[in-house]
Amino acid sequence: MLTCKKIICACLSLLLILPFSACGSGKADQLIKYNIPSDPVNLDPPLADDPQSALVVTNLFEGLLRLTADGKLTEGVASDYEMSGDGLSYTFHLRKEAKWSDGTALTAKDFVFGFQRLFDPSTGSVSAKRLYCIENAEQVHAGTLPVDSLGVTAADDQTLTIHLAYPDAMFLTLLTTPAAMPCNETFFKEAKGRYGLTGKTILSNGAYYLKDWSKGEYLALRRNEEYHSAASVKNGGVSLYIQQDTAATFADFNSGGIHALYLDGRQAEALTGKGYHIDKDSNTVWGVLINRTKPALSNGNIVKALAYGLDRSSYTEYLSDYLSTAEAIVPPAVTILDRSYREDLSEAAGPSYNAEAARQAAQTGFSELQVANLTELTVIVPKDPPIPSLFSYVSQVWQRDLGIYFKVEQLELDEYRRRLSAGDFDCAVIQLAGEYNSPGVFLSQFEGMEQYGIQLPGLRELLHQASRGNLEQSAALYQQAEQMVLDSGIFLPLFYQTNCFISSSSVTGFIHDISGQIVDFKNCTFS
């Protein structure tokens, strides 16, 4: 066995020498206030698939490991672990003082039961498939093997071993997600089918417990006094208010009614320079989606002409601070473990601007279509600025160099979504975002685009294999899949968008995922 060092962050040792300014001042008991757009659907971890449920579960529960603010792994319930030489077996050593919120001891058996419930087909967990790397997990989830054949075992109360069917570079990171949380079997059975649906039928082992839940109004998460970890909870709890209106949330933050919010880069510009803490993540990509079912765009040479004729320099100087030129699909914020996929692991890129190659392809395409030019094409774009004006620079170059003319249709969001769903467009400027941190989340969106005449044989298998290797193997396969999409010309990347998690100057320590939707409040402190 390869013994791994204790996964205690170096920053924890600093706590021994830093002054505890909050002690005696009451600041350690203050409440974080935060808005969420709707009630959680289910606080049962295997079923916490919507962002609101995942946010609450992240704060009520603690898995074997946790993530720090910079995306690194640190200890959770496990104080350390050992990995076998082949990377297929992990043994975790749990903290002896770990407890549930009712004071009951938390043991390795709670994780065994939690994983068995995750893959039990009767649970109906959608997120279970992300952890198919665990031995027999896929077969258990399909109902072809019993739950006790799962590769998760407890040697004693503090020792948990997980056997994998194949290496997965994301495995340890996945242990920090709701799907990998423990479950107290006795309490679960006593809940009689209501587990996770009300405040009284949930038992937490994390930084907070659920004190109150008034549907449609608020959730009161309060510090769990039974929680014992390497780093204590630094506040008294979190008040989560249900607020669907984003404008009202913006107003709440400006007035000091809440302590943080998540905004897209354009909205965040209004708060820049006002003394707030702003965490930026370049986490979405905008590009041109080509509808290959349209007669002119079913021609490969026309698509090739558009790809080579995309002159990104035509709009670069007009990009706002929250936008940056994109030559590939996966945004810079995406990582594999703690390494940037875009900057460290992939060299995938679309065709560079080549006016002559574009003209030759266009002329060949015109000849095949028996036309002199193309003047009846349309592109749909969301009406919100600056997308329409930026695309106009792109279309001007295509018109000048290629004789391909686009009519730009600026649509309100509901109509834009309807047209996009119906395939009622020649081209569309679309935004790709990821539900969680993985290159595969962005690339897999090109698997189901048959309605646009888009088929990429081999993409699904590449992404499947990419999820079954170590870091280097996964990165290489993701790069190959990304290059396949780029070479096809069906999606022309335009720019990456930076979105912002903004917090009050009086509170620090928020930890959030790259989507900005799942927030860990444990380390939040008041100045």
Side-chain angles (χ1 to χ4, degrees), residues 128-150:
K129 61 183 179 181
R130 299 179 191 171
L131 280 157
Y132 275 177
C133 59
I134 296 177
E135 186 177 69
N136 293 333
E138 189 169 1
Q139 295 90 329
V140 171
H141 200 219
T144 58
L145 285 177
V147 294
D148 58 8
S149 66
L150 190 68

Side-chain angles (χ1 to χ4, degrees), residues 203-217:
L203 188 65
S204 62
N205 76 305
Y208 307 99
Y209 72 96
L210 183 58
K211 181 180 180 181
D212 193 18
W213 182 0
S214 179
K215 298 291 179 70
E217 296 183 5

Side-chain angles (χ1 to χ4, degrees), residues 115-247:
F115 278 109
Q116 288 180 348
R117 283 201 61 239
L118 173 67
F119 296 108
D120 188 329
S122 67
T123 301
S125 174
V126 174
S127 55
K129 61 183 179 181
R130 299 179 191 171
L131 280 157
Y132 275 177
C133 59
I134 296 177
E135 186 177 69
N136 293 333
E138 189 169 1
Q139 295 90 329
V140 171
H141 200 219
T144 58
L145 285 177
V147 294
D148 58 8
S149 66
L150 190 68
V152 183
T153 57
D156 54 52
D157 285 351
Q158 272 74 52
T159 308
L160 180 80
T161 299
I162 301 180
H163 299 284
L164 304 187
Y166 50 83
D168 185 340
M170 298 298 294
F171 170 64
L172 292 176
T173 300
L174 289 168
L175 294 183
T176 70
T177 64
M181 297 300 136
C183 183
N184 183 295
E185 184 173 5
T186 300
F187 186 90
F188 173 79
K189 291 180 177 178
E190 290 175 349
K192 297 180 180 180
R194 299 286 296 167
Y195 187 74
L197 297 178
T198 69
K200 294 182 179 180
T201 58
I202 194 71
L203 188 65
S204 62
N205 76 305
Y208 307 99
Y209 72 96
L210 183 58
K211 181 180 180 181
D212 193 18
W213 182 0
S214 179
K215 298 291 179 70
E217 296 183 5
Y218 67 89
L219 293 91
L221 279 57
R222 296 297 180 259
R223 184 169 57 215
N224 176 11
E225 301 299 341
E226 297 293 343
Y227 176 74
H228 300 284
S229 182
S232 61
V233 185
K234 296 181 173 61
N235 52 73
V238 187
S239 293
L240 298 172
Y241 302 104
I242 312 301
Q243 178 55 265
Q244 298 180 7
D245 188 340
T246 55

Side-chain angles (χ1 to χ4, degrees), residues 71-146:
K72 297 184 184 300
L73 293 165
T74 188
E75 65 180 278
V77 177
S79 58
D80 59 66
Y81 68 90
E82 299 162 354
M83 181 181 67
S84 62
D86 58 7
L88 294 177
S89 181
Y90 292 78
T91 300
F92 298 88
H93 302 284
L94 279 56
R95 291 182 283 106
K96 293 182 179 180
E97 67 273 20
K99 294 181 180 180
W100 292 97
S101 53
D102 64 354
T104 305
L106 188 150
T107 72
K109 293 178 182 178
D110 295 320
F111 279 97
V112 172
F113 184 65
F115 278 109
Q116 288 180 348
R117 283 201 61 239
L118 173 67
F119 296 108
D120 188 329
S122 67
T123 301
S125 174
V126 174
S127 55
K129 61 183 179 181
R130 299 179 191 171
L131 280 157
Y132 275 177
C133 59
I134 296 177
E135 186 177 69
N136 293 333
E138 189 169 1
Q139 295 90 329
V140 171
H141 200 219
T144 58
L145 285 177

Side-chain angles (χ1 to χ4, degrees), residues 401-519:
D401 290 356
L402 308 177
I404 298 177
Y405 298 79
F406 278 92
K407 175 186 176 183
V408 179
E409 295 188 49
Q410 300 182 40
L411 305 175
E412 297 293 347
L413 190 56
D414 287 345
E415 176 63 9
Y416 168 79
R417 288 173 174 167
R418 187 196 68 77
R419 293 274 298 274
L420 196 62
S421 177
D424 185 12
F425 62 90
D426 294 312
C427 291
V429 177
I430 66 169
Q431 182 183 32
L432 300 180
E435 295 178 357
Y436 58 96
N437 186 10
S438 168
V441 175
F442 291 86
L443 300 175
S444 63
Q445 296 180 54
F446 293 95
E447 290 182 34
M449 292 192 171
E450 288 81 5
Q451 64 173 320
Y452 307 132
I454 296 170
Q455 295 186 24
L456 295 173
L459 178 63
R460 186 184 301 273
E461 181 60 24
L462 275 175
L463 296 178
H464 177 70
Q465 292 301 322
S467 68
R468 293 172 171 254
N470 58 32
L471 186 148
E472 290 76 17
Q473 293 168 338
S474 292
L477 288 166
Y478 281 132
Q479 175 178 306
Q480 188 176 343
E482 184 174 21
Q483 195 64 58
M484 174 188 289
V485 178
L486 292 166
D487 289 346
S488 72
I490 59 177
F491 180 78
L492 310 179
L494 295 176
F495 40 81
Y496 299 120
Q497 178 173 309
T498 294
N499 298 313
C500 303
F501 187 88
I502 304 175
S503 57
S504 164
S505 58
S506 64
V507 183
T508 59
F510 292 94
I511 298 175
H512 57 88
D513 68 339
I514 67 166
S515 74
Q517 298 186 88
I518 300 175
V519 187

